[in-house]
Amino acid sequence: MAWKDPEIAALRDRLAYLREPGLTLTLEEQRTTYEAMASLYSMQDGWVAEEVQAHGVPAERIAPEGRQLGAAILYLHGGGYVMGSHRTHRHLASQLGHAAQAFALVPHYRLAPEHPYPAAVEDAVASYRWLLDQGAPATGIVLAGDSAGGGLTVATALALRDAGLPQPAGLFCISPWADLTQGGRAYEHKAESDPFCTKAGLDDMARAYLAGADPRTPTASPVHGDLRDLAPLLIHCGAEEVLLSDSTRLAEAAGLAGVEVRLEIWPEMIHVWHWMAGDLAQGRRAIAVAGDWMREKLGG
Amino acid sequence: MAWKDPEIAALRDRLAYLREPGLTLTLEEQRTTYEAMASLYSMQDGWVAEEVQAHGVPAERIAPEGRQLGAAILYLHGGGYVMGSHRTHRHLASQLGHAAQAFALVPHYRLAPEHPYPAAVEDAVASYRWLLDQGAPATGIVLAGDSAGGGLTVATALALRDAGLPQPAGLFCISPWADLTQGGRAYEHKAESDPFCTKAGLDDMARAYLAGADPRTPTASPVHGDLRDLAPLLIHCGAEEVLLSDSTRLAEAAGLAGVEVRLEIWPEMIHVWHWMAGDLAQGRRAIAVAGDWMREKLGG
């Protein structure tokens, strides 16, 4: 396949090693690789990270130095529920915060297999409660996340609803992993063109996270839930990812429940291309588009 | 169900008669009723309609009086392929034209059962060719339509591609009927809340239009087609319509084929609420949002 976007073609060349048949990494090596890749990307100019404890959850508060922002993004990082941290997503959280004119809180939620479902949901809910307890109104918070963190965004919104907590102003999901059964037509169509994700890899991570829980549990796989009364949803996915159908089925589930949805499918883009905005003009554009949406939902 | 939007609640009260079990209208009566309902709504101030023949297809060219607009919307009206005309959609075409700053061409394409599939597709393609022959560049045309006309929009784009004609600048589908098998989860979920469409009614219209053709033929049911190389797609649907899953599955089919998609699901809104913008602020807002998208695609 010839790609029209030269940046995505170049990035694919650099990522090709990830799909070499000989490549087998232990979970520890995967975690280290992820952190190393993230170190290639820079935070938004003038933004700084500060460690906080959000009701017991270690987290980073990321904000422009010397400037107060009232609105907040609670950002839930990706990594298949088994890797990733505030370190791997500091740069993206700061870029999204800049675009939305909101500070970001990135919890280092507990990971599987050490801490399986529902540890991640519990930590996300605790972080949200902490923001509320700091005085942030729910209408001043957007919940956002990528990949597993995108599924976790909707799972957390369900948990908030069921706990009687107010919904945030909006939910922004980047390439969400929203079905831990690995269902959907895109797994077949995009197996060759997705440089990151494979059904086998996601099966492994789902097994580690679920640790025996039903993969159709709504707070693990929100496409199987009743999404009634959730906040408005913005979904971004790339046209070249095996998780594409997670996005369209999440949009359907939300629409069936009466929730406001905007879904955007970006041609040629790959799993969580926003994360690689340093290399991709389309990543910067997607962040700007999402920033406009978040600002609107935050009333700004 | 209690609706938050008082305008949609009031409109539903007025439309309730359409779902009375005793109501049975002949096709001729349905056609007359549709025309009568349309007469309740007014064209955009200062816009006028002029009859033209578009390569043999009777059509209306709708434009602001005394002002030349270079860009065009080829607008394909709804009505289940069995009713509707330039008259029923003059007002919506003028409102969309105003929002997009483009004149509208509304062909009175041939209707079933008198003229079954593929007559509508042929007439839409002829109308597009006529616009090109009038000197409009493809990049200055948006194809748009509602309901059956929304499915026909994508069907026409497929036919253009397969005929080697250039794609338009964009495709805008309002509540598209994109699967003439009446598949999708929304038929079950929204049977009670959709004031217009029922599976039985759509089955009848599909039978009349298809006249024995396979309902999975891509230029009749684009969700079953390979949508490769189609122009960018904007899809609007209401959260309270049985055709909601047509929209999400159309988004999926387009994304799987690498096409740019933006899908918006509007809470509480009903089938083709834009058509009733005279009664609904949300209809006017949806037209404005679509206008921004069309203007961007038209390079303006």
Side-chain angles (χ1 to χ4, degrees):
Chain A
M1 175 107 193
W3 306 103
K4 289 179 194 157
D5 183 337
E7 290 181 330
I8 206 81
L11 191 62
R12 280 176 171 281
D13 285 347
R14 276 160 46 206
L15 293 171
Y17 78 96
L18 288 171
R19 298 293 298 273
E20 292 287 333
L23 185 81
T24 50
L25 299 176
T26 65
L27 177 57
E28 219 35 68
E29 289 166 335
Q30 287 178 52
R31 288 175 174 174
T32 309
T33 305
Y34 200 16
E35 304 266 339
M37 283 175 72
S39 69
L40 299 173
Y41 297 117
S42 308
M43 279 178 66
Q44 184 70 33
D45 270 357
W47 283 56
V48 291
E50 166 201 10
E51 285 181 35
V52 295
Q53 291 287 324
H55 286 330
V57 181
E60 276 189 358
R61 191 182 184 288
I62 299 173
E65 191 158 25
R67 194 151 64 86
Q68 279 294 109
L69 292 172
I73 300 173
L74 175 54
Y75 194 83
L76 303 169
H77 70 76
Y81 294 109
V82 300
M83 60 182 127
S85 69
H86 45 284
R87 287 180 302 277
T88 52
H89 283 71
R90 211 176 257 154
H91 67 284
L92 177 55
S94 70
Q95 291 157 1
L96 288 170
H98 175 73
Q101 285 301 294
F103 75 86
L105 183 74
V106 184
H108 188 15
Y109 60 82
R110 286 168 291 164
L111 297 177
E114 297 88 339
H115 303 280
Y117 169 87
V121 183
E122 289 169 356
D123 289 356
V125 169
S127 306
Y128 185 79
R129 279 189 195 272
W130 182 79
L131 282 171
L132 294 179
D133 292 347
Q134 296 277 306
T139 52
I141 304 173
V142 165
L143 251 171
D146 60 285
S147 195
L152 183 56
T153 293
V154 184
T156 301
L158 284 170
L160 295 175
R161 180 196 66 186
D162 296 345
L165 287 164
Q167 285 290 300
L171 310 173
F172 171 41
C173 301
I174 303 173
S175 302
W177 184 25
D179 178 10
L180 274 55
T181 73
Q182 284 64 265
R185 298 172 62 200
Y187 280 101
E188 189 187 323
H189 280 74
K190 304 295 177 179
E192 297 303 315
S193 62
D194 188 322
F196 290 114
C197 300
T198 63
K199 182 171 181 310
L202 290 167
D203 284 345
D204 283 348
M205 295 193 281
R207 231 180 339 259
Y209 179 55
L210 291 166
D214 182 347
R216 297 174 60 96
T217 307
T219 47
S221 294
V223 302
H224 299 294
D226 178 345
L227 305 188
R228 204 162 302 272
D229 297 328
L230 258 53
L233 193 57
L234 172 64
I235 307 169
H236 275 186
C237 79
E240 302 306 330
E241 49 173 317
V242 295
L243 290 174
L244 186 149
S245 299
D246 280 42
S247 283
T248 57
R249 289 179 309 142
L250 184 59
E252 182 181 43
L256 290 177
V259 170
E260 177 184 327
V261 180
R262 179 163 134 192
L263 162 70
E264 298 176 9
I265 306 177
W266 289 57
E268 301 204 353
M269 292 301 113
I270 58 179
H271 191 56
V272 198
W273 71 103
H274 311 58
W275 195 78
M276 296 159 282
D279 290 316
L280 294 172
Q282 289 290 65
R284 297 190 288 280
R285 203 162 77 80
I287 288 170
V289 165
D292 288 345
W293 184 89
M294 289 189 278
R295 269 209 318 279
E296 185 198 312
K297 295 303 174 196
L298 291 164
Chain B
M1 177 110 193
W3 306 103
K4 289 179 194 156
D5 182 337
E7 290 180 330
I8 206 80
L11 191 62
R12 280 176 171 281
D13 284 346
R14 276 161 44 205
L15 294 171
Y17 77 96
L18 289 171
R19 297 292 298 272
E20 292 288 332
L23 185 81
T24 49
L25 298 176
T26 65
L27 177 57
E28 218 35 67
E29 289 166 337
Q30 287 179 53
R31 288 175 173 172
T32 308
T33 305
Y34 200 15
E35 305 265 339
M37 284 175 72
S39 69
L40 299 173
Y41 297 117
S42 308
M43 281 178 66
Q44 184 70 32
D45 271 355
W47 283 56
V48 290
E50 167 200 9
E51 286 181 34
V52 294
Q53 291 287 323
H55 285 331
V57 181
E60 276 190 357
R61 190 182 185 288
I62 299 174
E65 190 158 26
R67 195 152 63 88
Q68 278 295 108
L69 292 172
I73 300 173
L74 175 54
Y75 194 82
L76 303 169
H77 70 77
Y81 294 110
V82 300
M83 58 182 130
S85 68
H86 44 284
R87 287 180 302 275
T88 53
H89 284 68
R90 210 176 258 154
H91 67 285
L92 177 54
S94 70
Q95 292 157 0
L96 288 169
H98 176 73
Q101 285 300 293
F103 75 86
L105 182 74
V106 185
H108 186 16
Y109 61 81
R110 286 168 292 164
L111 297 177
E114 296 88 339
H115 303 280
Y117 169 87
V121 184
E122 289 168 357
D123 289 357
V125 170
S127 306
Y128 186 78
R129 279 190 196 270
W130 182 79
L131 282 171
L132 294 179
D133 292 347
Q134 296 276 306
T139 53
I141 304 173
V142 164
L143 251 170
D146 60 284
S147 195
L152 183 56
T153 293
V154 184
T156 301
L158 284 170
L160 296 176
R161 179 196 68 187
D162 296 345
L165 287 164
Q167 285 290 300
L171 310 173
F172 171 41
C173 302
I174 303 173
S175 302
W177 185 26
D179 178 9
L180 274 54
T181 72
Q182 284 65 263
R185 297 171 63 201
Y187 279 101
E188 189 188 323
H189 280 73
K190 303 296 178 180
E192 296 304 314
S193 63
D194 187 324
F196 290 115
C197 299
T198 63
K199 182 169 181 311
L202 291 167
D203 283 346
D204 283 347
M205 294 193 281
R207 230 178 341 256
Y209 179 55
L210 291 165
D214 183 347
R216 296 174 60 95
T217 307
T219 47
S221 293
V223 301
H224 299 294
D226 178 344
L227 306 188
R228 203 163 302 271
D229 297 327
L230 258 53
L233 193 56
L234 172 64
I235 307 169
H236 276 187
C237 79
E240 301 306 331
E241 49 173 318
V242 294
L243 290 175
L244 186 149
S245 299
D246 279 43
S247 284
T248 56
R249 290 180 308 142
L250 183 60
E252 182 181 43
L256 291 177
V259 170
E260 177 184 327
V261 180
R262 177 162 135 194
L263 162 69
E264 299 176 8
I265 306 177
W266 288 58
E268 301 205 352
M269 292 302 114
I270 59 180
H271 191 55
V272 197
W273 72 102
H274 312 58
W275 194 79
M276 297 158 281
D279 290 316
L280 295 172
Q282 290 290 66
R284 297 190 288 279
R285 203 161 77 80
I287 288 170
V289 165
D292 288 345
W293 185 89
M294 289 189 278
R295 269 209 317 279
E296 186 199 311
K297 293 305 171 194
L298 291 165

